[in-house]
Every structure is written in C-alpha cells, then in structure tokens.
Amino acid sequence: PKAERKEMQTLPVEQLTSFLREAKDSGVFALYYIDLTTGLRRGELLGLKWSDIDLEKGDLRVQRQIGRIDGKIIEMPLKTKNAYRTLPLSADAIDVLMQQRRKTGNSEWVFPSPTGGPMSPDSVLHMLHRVLKRAGLPKVRFHDLRHTFATLALQNGVDIKTVSGMLGHFSAGFTLDTYAHVTTSAKREAAKTMGNILSGAV
C-alpha cells in the first residue's frame, strides 16, 4: 500500500520574514536559515560537521544524519545514495555560517547542543514550534521547512531536476509528484505568458 502523505504545509514569503526575525531574536536564526536555503532533512541538518563545509568554495556536503534510537542520539548513514550530495551555498548562507562558526567555538558540529555534541532532533522541533508561536504563525512540521524551500525554488523558476538533486530525491519524477500543485500553477502562468506574447503578435 502507498504510504499516506501527510498534508504538506509551507510558510509563504510574507510569513518567512516574521519567522526569521523571531528566530534571530531567539538565537536560532542560523539553523533555520540554512535549512530554508538548502532544503535539508532535519537529521541531515543536525548531522553537519564543519569538515563538510567549504566556506571558500561555498559548498556543503551532506554525509550523515543524526537520529534517535532507544533514546540515544546517534550518527547514522543517510537514507539513500542520492541523499549523499554536495550543495552550493549562497553568499548570505556563507555569511550566516561564518557567524555560526565563531559561535560554536571548537565543536566539530555546525549546530551543536549545549553540551557540544550533536543536537537532538526533538529539541529543534520544540524550538521551531516556540519560534512559530512567538511570531504568531501557524504550527508547521520541521519537514515543512524543506517543502517551503522546494516550493519557493520551483515558484521562482528553478527547474525540477535541480530541485530534485538538491533535495536528494532518487528521481525528478518523485519530486514532480510531490510538488505537482506548484508546477501546475507554474504551467498555468507559462500558458498565460505565452498567450500574452502571441496575442501581441497577432
């Protein structure tokens, strides 16, 4: 049987501003900003080490994930071979990571817990809900930040194959199925644009 997909929610652009402002005030800006610019899964984000990031070249390698098994927080291999990927970083993301680097001192983890080890997946979810509540925004799952990344990329003209590769999906077809609603409205816009161009020519 097909796994039932949870209803996808995304943070629209106008809500992102207040979300990120609140995240900044709560001291957790870097974590959510990097997630929104890369579309990483929660475990992948928490699994980032400084050795995976090349600030000079401006890229980030996804090599492992953090999970919880029997109450223990552990390093785990990624879900599929496609999940091992290298992502480019925007200039803003590099700045955010440079600031984060100064904050983390000598921890090998990009987003360390207060004890210096990797952060717990549950704690970043609680933090997310706290930030959303303070910003007066509806509750979304951590995974919805990934959906927000993909939706914004697709709405702003990034092609499906690129988005699929960045998300670490095994095929662009899977990405298309997941984000069909986004691409459908983009196709409608394209039809309108073509109509306008051609009506001007007739």
Side-chain angles (χ1 to χ4, degrees):
K2 260 195 163 171
E4 210 179 302
R5 283 227 186 96
K6 286 220 179 101
E7 187 57 39
M8 183 194 302
Q9 285 177 290
T10 57
L11 288 170
V13 176
E14 54 279 9
Q15 290 183 1
L16 275 178
T17 314
S18 39
F19 170 69
L20 288 171
R21 193 182 300 127
E22 190 51 60
K24 216 169 228 168
D25 293 346
S26 306
V28 290
F29 176 76
L31 180 84
Y32 298 109
Y33 185 82
I34 295 303
D35 199 58
L36 285 163
T37 54
T38 57
L40 293 180
R41 297 175 177 95
R42 176 170 50 168
E44 296 171 343
L45 183 72
L46 300 182
L48 287 177
K49 292 183 178 178
W50 287 114
S51 55
D52 305 325
I53 290 176
D54 187 332
L55 291 171
E56 303 245 303
K57 236 167 76 186
D59 62 30
L60 166 163
R61 287 182 307 284
V62 187
Q63 313 264 38
R64 72 194 71 72
Q65 59 179 334
I66 293 298
R68 185 191 272 282
I69 291 182
D70 300 330
K72 271 202 193 75
I73 294 165
I74 56 161
E75 265 184 71
M76 294 153 65
L78 297 171
K79 283 194 343 197
T80 61
K81 70 175 200 315
N82 295 81
Y84 291 87
R85 60 203 190 275
T86 299
L87 301 174
L89 293 165
S90 67
D92 283 352
I94 293 170
D95 286 346
V96 168
L97 283 167
M98 280 175 165
Q99 287 170 32
Q100 180 67 5
R101 179 91 231 225
R102 289 194 282 275
K103 265 171 65 179
T104 55
N106 51 14
S107 173
E108 63 175 333
W109 301 95
V110 177
F111 302 110
S113 69
T115 56
M119 235 172 168
S120 133
D122 308 325
S123 72
V124 293
L125 185 63
H126 294 318
M127 253 160 43
L128 172 66
H129 289 158
R130 211 165 50 230
V131 170
L132 287 165
K133 195 175 170 183
R134 282 194 189 140
L137 297 172
K139 207 169 176 179
V140 296
R141 296 168 307 146
F142 199 93
H143 205 74
D144 291 323
L145 297 180
R146 183 171 156 84
H147 291 319
T148 300
F149 159 81
T151 303
L152 286 174
L154 291 166
Q155 282 171 342
N156 288 285
V158 181
D159 67 279
I160 195 89
K161 196 131 185 56
T162 303
V163 172
S164 183
M166 287 189 79
L167 292 171
H169 284 165
F170 56 88
S171 77
F174 177 79
T175 315
L176 254 177
D177 287 350
T178 313
Y179 297 101
H181 62 292
V182 186
T183 48
T184 309
S185 62
K187 283 179 191 146
R188 207 164 281 133
E189 279 305 306
K192 217 157 73 194
T193 304
M194 289 310 294
N196 292 342
I197 292 167
L198 293 172
S199 67
V202 177

